Amino acid sequence: MPPPAPPTELVPSERAVVLLSCVLSALGSGLLVATHALWPDLRSRARRLLLFLSLADLLSAASYFYGVLQDFAGPSWDCVLQGALSSFANTSSFFWTVAIALYLYLSIVRVARGPRADRLLWAFHVVSWGVPLAITMAAVTLKKIGYDASDVSVGWCWIDLEAEDRVLWMLLTGKLWEMLAYVTLPLLYLLVRKHISRAGIGNTFQGGANCIMFVLCTRAVRARLFSLCCCCCSSQPPAQSPAGPPEAPAPSKMGESQDRRIPVNPRATSQHLSFCPS
């Protein structure tokens, strides 16, 4: 049996970049978990799926950080533990990412609501946690996870390079689901985008569509609107003739009008005359 290949030497800059990436990923995932815990009013179904994805990413970042920081020089128990945790978390992260895209597609395009959406969430839990756990347990039981001399990773442990079927287990513990995610995610988001584009104009005319459906197409409402319009038209004042306004009646003589309308009081007249200057 040929001796194992020497480990791939990692320069400090590569190690620093990987450690920084792990820290940023852990901080981002922790922030998402914290917002979900602090504000209960934001706990929608979609954000719950994002919470489980964040938990998987947090575990993945922590396991990768430990592997890079430890800098394994050979097989050990913590190398196997770190490789198992990173394989489980990384595979679960791919499953939850696809689950979120599938949930958005079913909610927007297929309009999945109520009990159907709750059953869908349970199915996501079974698949996104159960399948990676079963694969990881099988890999640990068959001793497929171990030291890889950083040939296929950047400092952490993964699939033992001495295993004959190592390519198969590399696919099962991450690469296969990663490639499927790269194909499935763009397809689902393109379908969602196509559905949204098809519904642009309709969303802006929703009020008009509701008016046509629930007002103009309803006989009772239509009859009341017609009677209201008729009442409004009949209550308007009559239009004036084009010849102009009607002429006022000719006034009578001044003396006759005063004689008929205002009686003359001699006493008041004499009193009025007595105060007049001579």
Side-chain angles (χ1 to χ4, degrees):
M1 176 182 245
T8 301
E9 184 179 357
L10 298 177
V11 297
S13 60
E14 293 177 344
R15 195 180 302 274
V17 169
V18 174
L19 290 176
L20 179 61
S21 176
C22 292
V23 170
L24 293 177
S25 178
L27 288 177
S29 301
L31 183 61
L32 288 171
V33 174
T35 56
H36 187 86
L38 291 176
W39 294 298
D41 55 327
L42 298 179
R43 297 175 186 175
S44 61
R45 288 192 180 97
R47 292 190 68 88
R48 272 187 286 170
L49 295 178
L50 186 61
L51 170 67
F52 302 131
L53 174 61
S54 301
L55 292 175
D57 290 337
L58 184 60
L59 180 59
S60 178
S63 62
Y64 286 148
F65 185 87
Y66 178 80
V68 176
L69 194 64
Q70 186 69 18
D71 192 14
F72 297 107
S76 60
W77 68 269
D78 55 346
C79 174
V80 176
L81 179 60
Q82 183 269 320
L85 289 177
S86 61
S87 299
F88 166 75
N90 201 31
T91 306
S92 180
S93 177
F94 288 129
F95 274 93
W96 279 115
T97 304
V98 176
I100 292 175
L102 183 60
Y103 176 78
L104 292 176
Y105 170 76
L106 294 176
S107 299
I108 297 175
V109 180
R110 299 300 179 183
V111 196
R113 296 286 188 275
R116 182 181 177 185
D118 293 334
R119 291 193 299 267
L120 189 63
L121 292 181
W122 281 108
F124 287 156
H125 279 287
V126 172
V127 174
S128 300
W129 296 124
V131 174
L133 182 61
I135 294 174
T136 304
M137 290 180 63
V140 173
T141 303
L142 298 174
K143 298 181 179 180
K144 303 299 180 180
I145 295 180
Y147 181 66
D148 62 355
S150 298
D151 285 344
V152 290
S153 65
V154 191
W156 58 83
C157 293
W158 188 25
I159 300 299
D160 190 358
L161 292 181
E162 296 183 359
E164 297 180 355
D165 51 354
R166 56 185 177 273
V167 177
L168 174 62
W169 285 101
M170 287 178 185
L171 291 173
L172 291 177
T173 55
K175 293 302 178 182
L176 175 63
W177 316 114
E178 183 178 358
M179 291 185 291
L180 289 177
Y182 290 155
V183 175
T184 306
L185 292 176
L187 178 61
L188 291 175
Y189 285 120
L190 283 175
L191 292 176
V192 172
R193 175 61 182 165
K194 181 179 179 181
H195 176 78
I196 293 175
S197 299
R198 186 179 302 169
I201 299 175
N203 290 341
T204 58
F205 192 65
Q206 178 138 7
N210 292 336
C211 176
I212 294 174
M213 182 177 299
F214 298 107
V215 176
L216 300 181
C217 293
T218 304
R219 180 178 299 176
V221 180
R222 190 171 61 246
R224 294 189 181 185
L225 287 177
F226 182 74
S227 61
L228 181 63
C229 292
C230 292
C231 293
C232 292
C233 293
S234 61
S235 62
Q236 291 182 356
Q240 297 179 354
S241 61
E247 296 181 356
S252 59
K253 295 182 180 179
M254 184 64 67
E256 294 178 357
S257 62
Q258 289 179 352
D259 292 339
R260 286 198 304 266
R261 295 178 184 178
I262 303 175
V264 178
N265 190 351
R267 183 179 299 178
T269 305
S270 61
Q271 290 178 355
H272 176 71
L273 294 174
S274 65
F275 286 102
C276 291
S278 57

